[in-house]
């Protein structure tokens, strides 16, 4: 446990609302991970209000070798922001650092503090007729600092890139307390190693990002959204090619959804219904969105590209959203499929990426592999097929006990990740490594990569106080 005099000193660095202690109060909001599978312990949670205070905290922790877990909205899918069981760490939660410091409309940029909720950033950009395109299920509670720390992906990567691609500069506090002001808002800056890209995606292991300069884009004037029933799995690649080509590369989202997910969503989540005129749910659907800048163009473009896809036998059916309510329903269904799987039964998750062209092969091969070691298993593959990123989730067999199913978790991860590795893919496309994929790092990363990563960690954080046990165990 951390000695009391350290706790008292750290508390003195913040105001009376700036700390919470482990004294019987329910701290699960900060200690339980978003999948409710990992619960950590802490001696103290600090809520600093500015970068200088973060710096003072880190200076003290570095000097006294006190372990720090940085946290934003605590929505990591891999336990990246959850402390370990020892109670020997403090959490620094950035939630009170939530100011938009400036919006530069002409420079298409915004400077936001780490604790700003993603949805707030999206809507502030929109108020200035700009788009901040990062969009994901947790956008109402995740914070931009965490999005950067985990290099979050989401629904618009195909068009706008990952979080990494949306950042012009950062401000960060180093493990020894030094403040690095790298808040430049430049599109071009070729002056040596690009350190911001080391901190982005480092999951709080190299420093604490306190603010970021974000890239903004023109706000699309029109969007068209459609649910498309594919003729077969391979057709997803053909539909993607047609949609990109015939829309002038205006595809912003391209999400794969299997029948099992639509059916479970209709069964378990209120206000969801099949997005087609008639059932049953097709084996494979794609939720396709295109967006552009000329009014009254996107809807027509969508109609004509779907007509071509229909004529070429790529799709069997499609529903185009006719208004904002229908569009919201379509996206509500996309969100509901995640919730539905949790409500149905136990599930085992994967977040893999392969080259887009290998997605159908991956789904088939992974299906064969998991069925070989678990009879009756129900694959539930969905997600960002336009980026080659599939959430290859698995649902408990109907006639199998939950515990028996979860006992197979490691074996199932192994066979799925082996298929991924054979296709030259990644075992973590967008959720990061956190504390649950450190074994995969050892199995699938080369010795050269791992050795370089360890040297970088050592250079930034010689006392190993920044979020230890994450990424590199
Ligand atoms: C999604 O794309 O819906 C999420 O990344 C899946 C998840 O949260 O597990
Ligand atoms: Zn996802």
């Amino acid at each position: 446990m951390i000695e009391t005099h350290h706790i008292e000193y750290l508390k003195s660095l913040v105001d009376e609302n700036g700390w919470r202690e482990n004294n019987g109060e329910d701290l699960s909001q900060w200690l339980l991970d978003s999948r409710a599978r990992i619960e950590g312990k802490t001696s103290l949670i600090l809520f600093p209000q500015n970068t200088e205070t973060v710096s003072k905290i880190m200076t003290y922790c570095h000097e006294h070798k006190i372990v720090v877990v940085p946290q934003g909205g605590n929505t990591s899918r891999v336990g990246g922001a959850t402390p370990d069981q020892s109670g020997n760490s403090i959490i620094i939660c950035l939630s009170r650092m939530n100011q938009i410091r400036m919006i530069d409309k002409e420079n298409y940029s915004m400077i936001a503090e780490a604790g700003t909720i993603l949805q707030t950033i999206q809507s502030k950009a929109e108020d200035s007729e700009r788009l901040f395109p990062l969009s994901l299920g947790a956008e109402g509670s995740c914070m931009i600092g965490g999005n950067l720390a985990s290099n979050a992906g989401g629904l618009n990567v195909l068009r706008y890139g990952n979080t990494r691609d949306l950042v012009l500069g950062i401000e960060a506090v180093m493990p020894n307390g030094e403040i690095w002001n790298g808040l430049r808002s430049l599109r071009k800056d070729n002056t040596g190693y690009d350190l911001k890209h080391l901190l982005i995606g480092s999951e709080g292991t190299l420093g604490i990002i306190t603010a970021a300069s974000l890239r903004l884009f023109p706000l699309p004037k029109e969007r068209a959204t459609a649910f498309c029933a594919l003729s077969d799995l391979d057709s997803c690649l053909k539909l993607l090619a047609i949609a990109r080509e015939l829309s002038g590369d205006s595809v912003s989202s391209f999400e794969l959804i299997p029948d099992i997910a639509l059916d479970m969503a209709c069964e378990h989540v209120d206000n969801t219904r099949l997005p087609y005129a008639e059932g049953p749910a097709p084996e494979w659907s794609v939720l396709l969105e295109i967006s552009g800048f000329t009014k009254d163009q996107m809807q027509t473009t969508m109609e004509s590209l779907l007509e071509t896809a229909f004529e070429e036998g790529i799709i069997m059916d499609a529903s185009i959203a006719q208004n904002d309510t229908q569009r919201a329903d379509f996206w509500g269904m996309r969100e509901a499929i995640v919730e539905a799987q949790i409500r149905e039964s136990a599930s085992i998750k994967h977040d893999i990426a392969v080259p887009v062209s290998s997605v159908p092969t991956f789904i088939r091969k992974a299906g064969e592999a998991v069925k070989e070691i678990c009879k009756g298993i129900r694959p539930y593959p969905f997600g960002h097929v336009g980026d080659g990123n599939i959430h290859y989730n698995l649902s408990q067999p109907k006639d199998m006990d939950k515990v028996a199913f979860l006992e197979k978790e490691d074996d199932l991860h192994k066979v799925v990740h082996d298929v991924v590795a054979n296709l030259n893919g990644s075992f973590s496309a967008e959720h990061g490594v956190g504390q649950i994929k450190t074994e995969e790092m050892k199995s699938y990363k080369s010795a050269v990569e791992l050795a370089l990563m360890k040297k970088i960690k050592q250079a930034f954080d010689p006392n190993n106080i920044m979020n230890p046990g994450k990424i590199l165990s």
Side-chain angles (χ1 to χ4, degrees):
M1 280 312 207
I2 302 173
E3 290 169 46
T4 315
H5 68 101
H6 289 318
I7 301 284
E8 291 310 313
Y9 182 79
L10 288 165
K11 277 159 62 175
S12 78
L13 296 175
V14 292
D15 66 14
E16 67 273 20
N17 299 316
W19 56 269
R20 280 167 192 265
E21 238 176 330
N22 195 353
N23 55 4
E25 190 186 352
D26 179 13
L27 300 180
S28 54
Q29 184 185 340
W30 299 279
L31 297 181
L32 187 63
D33 84 307
S34 72
R35 293 177 60 198
R37 286 176 56 143
I38 308 168
E39 183 150 23
K41 290 200 175 76
T42 191
S43 299
L44 181 68
I45 311 177
L46 292 170
F47 302 87
Q49 278 184 293
N50 55 55
T51 307
E52 287 67 34
T53 307
V54 177
S55 162
K56 284 182 194 157
I57 297 169
M58 285 314 307
T59 304
Y60 189 83
C61 289
H62 178 70
E63 206 173 305
H64 297 280
K65 297 194 169 60
I66 296 169
V67 168
V68 170
V69 178
Q71 199 177 89
N74 195 20
T75 59
S76 168
R77 291 310 219 186
V78 288
T82 311
D84 68 13
Q85 286 291 317
S86 69
N88 285 333
S89 57
I90 65 159
I91 293 175
I92 300 185
C93 179
L94 283 294
S95 59
R96 292 210 298 167
M97 289 184 60
N98 57 6
Q99 302 301 306
I100 307 275
R101 293 194 192 157
M102 74 127 136
I103 297 181
D104 184 343
K105 219 175 142 175
E106 284 71 38
N107 192 48
Y108 286 77
S109 64
M110 169 198 289
I111 295 181
E113 292 184 344
T116 316
I117 303 269
L118 174 56
Q119 212 164 55
T120 308
I121 292 179
Q122 294 165 343
S123 70
K124 292 285 178 198
E126 208 167 318
D127 292 347
S128 296
E129 292 163 62
R130 296 289 180 260
L131 172 76
F132 183 64
L134 183 64
S135 175
L136 37 93
E139 63 197 21
S141 59
C142 65
M143 295 171 195
I144 193 70
N147 297 143
L148 265 71
S150 60
N151 184 28
L155 301 164
N156 290 330
V157 173
L158 174 62
R159 176 93 167 259
Y160 296 99
N162 291 290
T163 302
R164 179 182 299 294
D165 305 299
L166 306 175
V167 180
L168 297 172
I170 62 167
E171 174 193 87
V173 175
M174 297 297 112
N176 66 1
E178 282 176 334
I179 299 172
W180 172 42
N181 185 344
L183 271 183
R184 293 181 284 269
S185 298
L186 306 173
R187 258 93 188 157
K188 290 191 167 181
D189 179 15
N190 234 345
T191 52
Y193 304 134
D194 199 335
L195 297 176
K196 69 174 178 295
H197 281 306
L198 278 178
L199 278 121
I200 298 169
S202 72
E203 302 187 41
T205 62
L206 300 181
I208 302 186
I209 296 171
T210 46
S213 172
L214 305 170
R215 285 177 72 183
L216 304 181
F217 294 81
L219 193 61
K221 297 274 184 299
E222 202 197 352
R223 287 178 295 221
T225 314
F227 246 97
C228 315
L230 298 177
S231 302
D232 55 26
L233 181 55
D234 291 290
S235 295
C236 70
L237 300 179
K238 297 178 197 154
L239 180 61
L240 179 61
I242 284 192
R244 291 188 75 162
E245 212 168 293
L246 300 188
S247 70
D249 213 5
S250 299
V251 177
S252 38
S253 302
F254 195 86
E255 298 286 312
L256 185 70
I257 304 180
D259 49 3
I260 182 174
L262 290 180
D263 290 340
M264 272 194 209
C266 292
E267 190 180 338
H268 296 297
V269 183
D270 290 345
N271 305 319
T272 45
R273 53 176 201 84
L274 270 190
Y276 302 103
E278 285 173 27
E283 192 179 359
W284 297 103
S285 294
V286 159
L287 175 54
L288 164 64
E289 188 159 280
I290 57 177
S291 52
F293 303 98
T294 318
K295 269 241 162 275
D296 305 323
Q297 199 189 357
M298 286 295 122
Q299 206 75 0
T300 336
T301 304
M302 180 67 95
E303 280 163 21
S304 82
L305 80 85
L306 291 181
E307 215 170 281
T308 307
F310 190 75
E311 278 161 14
E312 294 189 10
I314 294 166
I315 60 171
M316 305 177 298
D317 192 6
S319 303
I320 303 179
Q322 296 304 321
N323 48 46
D324 285 349
T325 313
Q326 261 182 21
R327 175 178 180 266
D329 285 349
F330 285 3
W331 281 108
M333 174 56 97
R334 170 62 180 83
E335 262 182 49
I337 65 173
V338 181
E339 187 55 35
Q341 199 196 12
I342 298 167
R343 293 194 194 166
E344 161 87 7
S345 62
S347 56
I348 292 173
K349 282 169 169 280
H350 301 92
D351 164 39
I352 68 90
V354 292
V356 178
S357 49
S358 301
V359 168
T361 308
F362 161 74
I363 291 179
R364 278 191 282 270
K365 289 198 164 171
E368 288 160 18
V370 296
K371 282 172 190 159
E372 216 160 273
I373 56 173
C374 183
K375 215 169 139 272
I377 196 165
R378 292 177 293 163
Y380 196 100
F382 69 90
H384 324 292
V385 61
D387 312 319
N389 172 196
I390 298 295
H391 297 302
Y392 194 77
N393 291 2
L394 301 164
S395 277
Q396 183 184 337
K398 282 198 161 140
D399 55 0
M400 189 187 257
D401 165 66
K402 178 176 173 177
V403 176
F405 175 59
L406 291 178
E407 269 168 11
K408 293 182 182 287
E409 178 156 10
D410 287 347
D411 294 341
L412 288 164
H413 286 323
K414 181 166 183 338
V415 295
V416 171
H417 291 152
D418 282 352
V419 174
V420 170
N422 284 332
L423 293 168
N424 218 356
S426 168
F427 59 83
S428 183
E430 62 169 6
H431 291 169
V433 178
Q435 55 182 294
I436 72 165
K437 291 189 183 165
T438 52
E439 286 306 312
E440 278 83 357
M441 288 291 278
K442 291 182 206 156
S443 306
Y444 299 105
K445 283 274 179 193
S446 72
V448 176
E449 263 178 303
L450 283 176
L452 284 169
M453 284 191 194
K454 282 180 184 158
K455 282 186 193 159
I456 291 169
K457 169 74 176 166
Q458 171 71 20
F460 273 74
D461 181 23
N463 290 350
N464 195 26
I465 57 167
M466 289 302 311
N467 215 7
K470 315 292 161 53
I471 301 185
L472 302 166
S473 61

